[in-house]
Amino acid sequence: MQTNKWSVAATYAIMLALVTIISAVIPSVFTDLPGFVGIILWIVKFSLSIYLVYYFIKEYSKPFEVFTYKDGFRFGVILCFLSSVIGSAYMFLHFGFLFPDATAAQMETVIQNLESSNPDAAEGFMKVMQHLPKIVFAWSLVYYTLFGVLVSSIVANYTKKGDIFTEK
């Protein structure tokens, strides 16, 4: 069943990235949600992402008699990196092409608030706005990857099995 670590991780990464994508789409589609719903959505996204990393590493480890911390960590990092690429690519599309009007409206509010207190900052912010999708892509890729490495380093300890000191 397990043909290649990367292909299995890519399949799982699509499912893991869907958590991030859905949590980004819901507030963009339903714009009149109360603030606490955003917090609940973030908590669900955070918890479900960690659980899925654990579940996918555990699933990947099933056919192995011995599955070490190192094996779990490596698979988790690959899984999270691929998921980060998918999630970051979606965020680029989200801010650049799918919901640019919603993003522009939010940024216009920020710029108006900045103009009243610091006009120079507002001008600089407007210059950065044209590059927002690229900035979000880069930031998301780094953030999701680092978060995935951290989660993998913790979760891999709970997915190891077998005794490396027994002889076959």
Side-chain angles (χ1 to χ4, degrees), residues 60-124:
Y60 179 74
S61 72
K62 280 185 179 177
F64 299 101
E65 277 186 42
V66 175
F67 193 77
T68 64
Y69 173 86
K70 179 177 153 184
D71 297 329
F73 179 71
R74 281 185 178 173
F75 183 76
V77 168
I78 293 169
L79 165 69
C80 292
F81 173 71
L82 294 175
S83 177
S84 298
V85 170
I86 295 166
S88 298
Y90 172 76
M91 294 308 281
F92 177 80
L93 292 173
H94 181 91
F95 284 96
F97 301 102
L98 299 176
F99 299 102
D101 297 334
T103 304
Q106 291 172 346
M107 294 304 127
E108 188 63 36
T109 304
V110 171
I111 290 171
Q112 287 175 354
N113 290 337
L114 279 175
E115 283 179 342
S116 63
S117 62
N118 189 351
D120 294 333
E123 186 179 314

Side-chain angles (χ1 to χ4, degrees), residues 82-161:
L82 294 175
S83 177
S84 298
V85 170
I86 295 166
S88 298
Y90 172 76
M91 294 308 281
F92 177 80
L93 292 173
H94 181 91
F95 284 96
F97 301 102
L98 299 176
F99 299 102
D101 297 334
T103 304
Q106 291 172 346
M107 294 304 127
E108 188 63 36
T109 304
V110 171
I111 290 171
Q112 287 175 354
N113 290 337
L114 279 175
E115 283 179 342
S116 63
S117 62
N118 189 351
D120 294 333
E123 186 179 314
F125 194 75
M126 289 190 320
K127 290 178 183 176
V128 169
M129 275 298 300
Q130 63 188 354
H131 301 291
L132 185 65
K134 294 177 261 184
I135 293 168
V136 168
F137 173 81
W139 172 252
S140 297
L141 185 62
V142 170
Y143 172 74
Y144 296 154
T145 301
L146 290 177
F147 181 74
V149 169
L150 177 67
V151 169
S152 296
S153 69
I154 295 168
V155 166
N157 195 46
Y158 299 101
T159 59
K160 60 187 179 181
K161 66 179 184 178

Side-chain angles (χ1 to χ4, degrees), residues 6-81:
W6 283 86
S7 63
V8 173
T11 304
Y12 290 156
I14 293 169
M15 292 183 264
L16 182 59
L18 280 175
V19 173
T20 300
I21 292 169
I22 290 170
S23 70
V25 168
I26 290 173
S28 296
V29 172
F30 304 107
T31 55
D32 56 348
L33 293 174
F36 74 91
V37 174
I39 294 169
I40 292 171
L41 202 58
W42 182 85
I43 291 170
V44 168
K45 172 188 160 187
F46 182 78
S47 305
L48 188 57
S49 295
I50 293 171
Y51 173 76
L52 285 176
V53 170
Y54 168 76
Y55 177 78
F56 291 146
I57 294 173
K58 198 75 165 166
E59 280 295 307
Y60 179 74
S61 72
K62 280 185 179 177
F64 299 101
E65 277 186 42
V66 175
F67 193 77
T68 64
Y69 173 86
K70 179 177 153 184
D71 297 329
F73 179 71
R74 281 185 178 173
F75 183 76
V77 168
I78 293 169
L79 165 69
C80 292
F81 173 71

